[in-house]
């Protein structure tokens, strides 16, 4: 009974701690802040799932936690790659402002 109340308390604290991470993910101000907050939210959700696995004594929740960890890791990697691509594109435009690349084949050139 004592552990059950402790698990519930920790789950409530983690749920409350998710809201500042969500605010940081939405407001920024930088992309790096958003990436870190998304990663932190994923980690907190994994901890919540693991605590639920202990509390409910269900082994399959640990498997779900591991799958969620892989998905969270991949999402952060993909977001990082997208951010790096946007950063490289901005840097290229600042270094070479005379380049006017049109979009694909819509300008009639092949």
């Amino acid at each position: 009974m004592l552990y059950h109340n402790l698990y519930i308390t920790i789950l409530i604290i983690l749920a409350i701690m998710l809201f500042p991470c969500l605010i940081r993910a939405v407001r920024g101000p930088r992309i790096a802040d958003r990436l870190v907050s998304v990663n932190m939210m994923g980690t907190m959700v994994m901890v919540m799932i693991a605590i639920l696995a202990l509390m409910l004594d269900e082994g399959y929740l640990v498997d779900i936690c591991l799958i969620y960890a892989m998905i969270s890791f991949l999402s952060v990697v993909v977001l990082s790659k997208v951010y790096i691509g946007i950063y490289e594109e901005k840097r290229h435009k600042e270094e070479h402002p005379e380049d006017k690349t049109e979009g694909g084949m819509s300008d009639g050139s092949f």
Side-chain angles (χ1 to χ4, degrees):
M1 187 66 175
L2 178 67
Y3 284 124
H4 185 76
N5 290 336
L6 179 67
Y7 293 153
I8 295 293
T9 304
I10 291 173
L11 285 173
I12 290 171
I13 290 170
L14 285 171
I16 291 171
M17 288 171 50
L18 276 174
F19 288 111
C21 291
L22 182 65
I23 291 170
R24 179 57 62 190
V26 171
R27 293 188 67 194
R30 294 176 295 197
I31 298 293
D33 296 330
R34 292 183 174 119
L35 285 174
V36 169
S37 67
V38 167
N39 194 17
M40 188 183 307
M41 286 171 56
T43 303
M44 281 196 276
V45 169
M46 285 184 286
V47 170
M48 291 172 77
I49 293 172
I51 290 172
L52 278 173
L54 282 173
M55 189 172 82
L56 300 175
D57 198 27
E58 298 289 341
Y60 69 90
L61 286 176
V62 177
D63 297 334
I64 291 173
C65 185
L66 291 172
I67 291 170
Y68 191 83
M70 290 187 290
I71 291 171
S72 176
F73 172 74
L74 287 175
S75 69
V76 170
V77 168
V78 167
L79 287 173
S80 298
K81 291 296 253 182
V82 168
Y83 169 66
I84 289 171
I86 291 171
Y87 175 76
E88 290 291 327
E89 186 177 317
K90 278 185 184 177
R91 194 177 73 174
H92 179 73
K93 283 183 181 179
E94 288 175 359
E95 290 177 359
H96 305 289
E98 66 276 353
D99 287 348
K100 294 188 181 198
T101 56
E102 299 285 328
M105 295 176 25
S106 63
D107 61 349
S109 64
F110 293 100

